[in-house]
Amino acid sequence: MTAVLHIATVGWGDLYIETDGQYAGAAREMLESGQWLTPTNDGIPRLQKPPLLYWAALASSLTGADPHLAYRIPVVLAAALSLWVTYLAARRFFNPRV
């Protein structure tokens, strides 16, 4: 249910006034500058996250999808994968009743 709601609402909200806009801006600057290891947004280094998040956002944006959706797709896929792995781990380590 969580994954379905997350996927269904991925395009909601303004991309440019939230944290998602900072990720999108860093991915855009990576493409423009060719600097693939040190992400920046407005010239300010963004070292809180590993570059994989920015690389995934950049790859997603190159698909030609709507920017509000494209930059959020990697986060949605990571959340869905995280839920699936949690489910599999719980199923393996606990009994079905739990």
Side-chain angles (χ1 to χ4, degrees):
M1 176 96 168
T2 301
V4 170
L5 287 174
H6 199 72
I7 291 168
T9 61
V10 70
W12 290 10
D14 190 3
L15 179 63
Y16 301 107
I17 62 171
E18 298 175 20
T19 307
D20 295 342
Q22 294 173 2
Y23 299 140
R28 180 184 42 82
E29 284 187 25
M30 274 184 164
L31 181 63
E32 291 172 355
S33 70
Q35 176 56 267
W36 299 100
L37 295 178
T38 308
T40 60
N41 188 27
D42 292 331
I44 300 168
R46 292 194 45 83
L47 304 174
Q48 305 93 307
K49 303 278 185 202
L52 181 61
L53 173 66
Y54 304 107
W55 296 339
L58 178 62
S60 179
S61 72
L62 295 176
T63 63
D66 175 41
H68 287 84
L69 183 64
Y71 285 112
R72 292 175 175 159
I73 288 173
V75 174
V76 169
L77 293 177
L81 180 64
S82 172
L83 287 168
W84 182 249
V85 168
T86 302
Y87 165 74
L88 292 176
R91 208 172 100 188
R92 178 181 173 117
F93 295 117
F94 301 104
N95 65 42
R97 188 166 181 215
V98 171

